[in-house]
Amino acid sequence: MSRTPRPTGSSKAHDPELTHRLSRRGMLGVAAGATAAALLGAASPATAATSAQTAAAGRGRPVLPPGRLGIQLYSLRDKVSTLGFAPVFAELKKYGYDEVEFAGYTQGSAGPITLAQLRRLARDHGLNPIGSHVGYYASDPNAYTFAQNLDKVLDDAQALGLKHIGTASGPFRYGSTVDAWKRAAEEFNTYGAAARARGMKFYQHNHSEEFSFATDNPKIRLYDVLLAETDPKLVYLEMDIFWAYSGQFRFSKRPDGTPAPFEPLDYVLRQPDRYPLFHVKDGVSDPGNQYGYRMTDVGDGDIDYQRFISGVTRLHGHRLAHHWQAEHDNPAESFTFARRSSEHLHSLREKC
């Protein structure tokens, strides 16, 4: 498979973007060594969202639309693989979450669980399963991906009651040329049509490389090819805001050095209906880092989420149309990340 070359000096072992994509494929297969009791003890459950909302009362309308805060469970894979979904869901509800986005349907050492049981657990904890990440393709013809097992992927999504089913894989299957991305876009349209026939939306989650330039036409940004060549009624986007800003840092110039700046929010404002989901992931600006940012808990970084979220929700008719999923690829302590991210996002108020 041809891929866009990575910056000099990077390696698979130390590349957080590549590690993130690869590790999603089997994220819940390995359990951590701590016991469930010890993990729960470290979490320090709190009514974080409620206290944050109370403290912020009277300071303007909340930026975050009510009932639309979710979390990508990849961020909590260590807890899911040892405690199981039920204790994790219980914690998330305490922290003020409304939704969950899956990145796998197993719970490691916590034991087997059926899709029907998983759907019921989410419902019983007041959490709406909003979406799920599944691989785009693999070399194994029997792999659980859209390319190899489309019907099974959609069957499972329906069993969970999902309204969105997507992939965190970039459309690099055939390379990084314009024609390669047109070919991948045709496949995405096929998946989107199949999902739509079952009452779901197919979506693609970006990393920073989607904002790079076509190898055969360095004037064309690959993300623009994806937008142009996919049917907006069939293929939707989940903007990972951290990786979009990383793309802004990495690909603000074309390969010949000519300026090519872009603003991630502008993509959304131009086509708001194409972005039903977002990943709210924060980063500390670090120009010495190849990605331009160091990932951190939401609220501890330099990405202005007051500006970004309010910019989207102020659109007429779109205040309640979007879903915001907190995420951190490798949090220092995943329950702490979940709690603090919810606190911060609930505390944001629109500027008067």
Side-chain angles (χ1 to χ4, degrees), residues 181-230:
W181 274 53
K182 286 183 177 180
R183 185 176 176 187
E186 289 180 5
E187 294 184 340
F188 278 22
N189 284 331
T190 298
Y191 308 151
R196 183 179 182 182
R198 300 194 188 209
M200 294 179 283
K201 292 180 178 179
F202 168 79
Y203 64 95
Q204 192 267 343
H205 161 288
N206 65 274
H207 291 83
S208 65
E209 283 186 338
E210 282 87 332
F211 297 96
S212 63
F213 297 93
T215 54
D216 62 333
N217 190 337
K219 293 183 179 180
I220 297 179
R221 196 180 300 276
L222 288 172
Y223 196 68
D224 295 334
V225 178
L226 177 66
L227 285 168
E229 297 297 327
T230 51

Side-chain angles (χ1 to χ4, degrees), residues 12-24 27 72-79 207 240 242-243 279-282 291 294-298 326-338 341:
K12 290 184 178 181
H14 298 91
D15 186 335
E17 186 171 0
L18 181 60
T19 300
H20 172 71
R21 292 199 305 273
L22 294 178
S23 58
R24 276 187 185 274
M27 70 162 222
Q72 167 50 256
L73 291 172
Y74 180 77
S75 305
L76 295 153
R77 59 195 180 277
D78 61 324
K79 302 297 194 290
H207 291 83
D240 185 303
F242 170 92
W243 287 121
H279 271 192
V280 181
K281 183 185 297 178
D282 214 344
Y291 296 106
R294 289 180 285 105
M295 203 174 294
T296 189
D297 290 355
V298 179
E327 188 185 35
H328 190 311
D329 292 357
N330 294 291
E333 207 295 311
S334 54
F335 275 150
T336 300
F337 156 75
S341 298

Side-chain angles (χ1 to χ4, degrees), residues 208 211 221 242-253 260-265 291 293:
S208 65
F211 297 96
R221 196 180 300 276
F242 170 92
W243 287 121
Y245 276 98
S246 173
Q248 180 191 58
F249 171 84
R250 295 180 65 192
F251 305 111
S252 63
K253 294 182 179 180
F262 73 92
E263 168 54 53
L265 179 58
Y291 296 106
Y293 293 87

Side-chain angles (χ1 to χ4, degrees), residues 44-60:
S44 300
T47 55
T50 302
S51 62
Q53 288 171 310
T54 301
R59 293 196 287 112

